[in-house]
Amino acid sequence: MGFVVAVVGATGAVGREMLATLEKRRFPVSEIVALASPRSAGQKLTFNGKETTIKATTAEAFKGVQIALFSAGASVAREMGPAAAAAGAVVIDNSSAWRQDAQCPLVIPEVNAAAIKDRPRGIIANPNCSTIQMLVALKPLHDAATLRHIIVSTYQATSGKGHAAVEDLLQQARALANGQPVKPTIFPGQMAQNLLCDWKPSAMEGGEGYSEEETKMVFETQKIMGDLTIGVSPTCVRVPVVNAHSESIHARFARPITVEEAKSLLRNAPGVVLDERPYAPGAHPQPIQASGKDEVFVGRIRRDFTDPNALNLWVVGDNLLKGAALNAVQIAERVIAE
Ligand code: A2P
């Protein structure tokens, strides 16, 4: 017994993790349908020990598919998501295409799993990687003390921009080490030994001056939490890290909350590993340690010096796993449990 599962974008950074996560979590797959662009059609990959041929993503390719995990960008999702749903698949899309659609639930299983059931289009949206790790960390605190405002600065890894972006970073680092000029191929400038805000400008009404990535964190937080009054002030920055995003979060609540209370709420929170080490140089969650792990790592919980209702936190998570592939597979697990 198993399900026919398609992975769209099977050759990409997230798609490969989706396949690996399905294997690792022993998702009941009777047949895997690996889809990508026509450029990759005919290439082979191995899933659960069996060789599969990658096919081009066409409407016909979804015949018989029951679960379709998409990570091939927004335009592919906009075009092919409805085709997959029309063929009878439950679509779980990692792109931004459907996140704002009122008829598509936007889901982090630890936060709003109940929303999965209400999916009139047959499409469930996977949130942005930065939103996911932030809300996994903040939800238990929100349930206890009600979030009012979040100020978040991100330190985002290059893998979030895809496989080719990681290659660009590594190639730039090699050029610098050899005293050669840096020739960016994916990033809009030098990424090695540098920081960049490399996202497109936001098209959100009133979002002038913000990047697309930043305003995603605003509306996604409000939609997932089901509370349009939660304020979010984001600054998103790409850092020369291969994998795993970090976030500095200042969260203000409706009532006073102590560091001890926050720790007790997060100690057994789903999907969270609480790092309780006292501050010392290097003793905090780090991308190289969070990379490859399923959990979101929360550390450096500090009081605010002037506001008893606010806390400061440091949150690190694997953007390809919990920030993308794992979250999508966890949604699929809930769907098949229905
Ligand atoms: P391909 O490898 O054939 O280009 P990443 O995020 O790592 O850049 O990966 C993007 C993924 O989306 C890849 O698997 C890529 O396939 C896939 N993709 C890109 N364009 C299309 C398309 N037009 N149709 C289907 N898949 C696409």
Side-chain angles (χ1 to χ4, degrees):
M1 216 310 259
F3 295 82
V4 181
V5 179
V7 173
V8 184
T11 53
V14 172
R16 290 180 214 184
E17 293 297 341
M18 284 172 161
L19 292 162
T21 303
L22 290 167
E23 284 179 329
K24 188 172 153 204
R25 294 174 74 87
R26 300 181 190 283
F27 192 91
V29 179
S30 60
E31 185 191 338
I32 197 83
V33 179
L35 304 176
S37 81
R39 293 179 292 276
S40 302
Q43 286 176 24
K44 312 265 185 208
L45 61 78
T46 304
F47 180 82
N48 277 346
K50 276 200 232 141
E51 201 173 73
T52 303
T53 304
I54 298 169
K55 290 191 257 172
T57 309
T58 59
E60 298 72 56
F62 294 102
K63 197 159 176 270
V65 170
Q66 292 165 289
I67 307 267
L69 304 176
F70 273 64
S71 192
S75 54
V76 174
R78 248 178 244 118
E79 194 188 335
M80 287 296 159
V90 175
V91 173
I92 301 164
D93 175 39
N94 190 49
S95 82
S96 60
W98 299 99
R99 290 180 189 153
Q100 274 180 288
D101 191 305
Q103 296 193 305
C104 296
L106 181 64
V107 178
I108 307 169
E110 292 86 342
V111 178
N112 64 335
I116 289 173
K117 286 201 167 67
D118 187 17
R119 44 167 197 270
R121 286 193 196 281
I123 300 173
I124 301 164
N126 211 36
N128 181 265
C129 42
S130 301
T131 311
I132 292 177
Q133 70 181 62
M134 178 171 82
L135 296 191
V136 166
L138 292 181
K139 178 64 162 58
L141 310 183
H142 175 60
D143 287 344
T146 312
L147 268 168
R148 287 282 197 249
H149 196 101
I150 303 163
I151 300 172
V152 55
S153 299
T154 69
Y155 304 72
Q156 296 185 224
T158 51
S159 62
K161 205 176 175 73
H163 187 60
V166 174
E167 287 307 312
D168 190 11
L169 169 70
L170 298 177
Q171 168 277 112
Q172 290 187 25
R174 279 192 297 270
L176 286 175
N178 294 326
Q180 290 161 354
V182 164
K183 294 190 190 128
T185 53
I186 300 290
F187 287 104
Q190 183 175 323
M191 186 69 252
Q193 299 183 19
N194 197 21
L195 305 179
L196 287 173
C197 297
D198 63 323
W199 296 272
K200 283 190 265 184
S202 173
M204 191 181 86
E205 203 185 317
E208 293 79 20
Y210 283 90
S211 71
E212 193 180 65
E213 187 81 353
E214 289 162 348
T215 52
K216 280 177 190 171
M217 294 188 81
V218 179
F219 81 75
E220 291 184 18
T221 296
Q222 294 172 342
K223 180 169 175 175
I224 294 163
M225 296 299 220
D227 184 347
L228 299 180
T229 68
I230 298 175
V232 185
S233 300
T235 302
C236 292
V237 183
R238 188 84 61 190
V239 297
V241 163
V242 170
N243 193 45
H245 291 352
S246 306
E247 297 179 341
S248 162
I249 297 172
H250 171 92
R252 183 164 54 79
F253 300 89
R255 65 153 172 90
I257 180 166
T258 63
V259 170
E260 262 324 305
E261 184 185 1
K263 285 185 179 173
S264 72
L265 291 164
L266 289 169
R267 224 165 257 137
N268 297 309
V272 170
V273 172
L274 179 63
D275 184 338
E276 298 195 58
R277 287 176 287 176
Y279 178 75
H284 53 82
Q286 298 173 20
I288 53 168
Q289 291 151 1
S291 182
K293 305 267 171 42
D294 286 351
E295 296 86 0
V296 170
F297 295 78
V298 183
R300 302 207 62 208
I301 303 182
R302 287 151 289 154
R303 72 183 183 99
D304 184 86
F305 288 117
T306 53
D307 185 351
N309 289 23
L311 292 171
N312 295 311
L313 305 90
W314 177 249
V315 175
V316 184
D318 188 316
N319 50 293
L320 297 181
L321 292 178
K322 186 57 195 168
L326 172 63
N327 198 71
V329 173
Q330 286 172 321
I331 293 171
E333 288 169 350
R334 302 271 180 153
V335 168
I336 64 167
E338 277 171 3

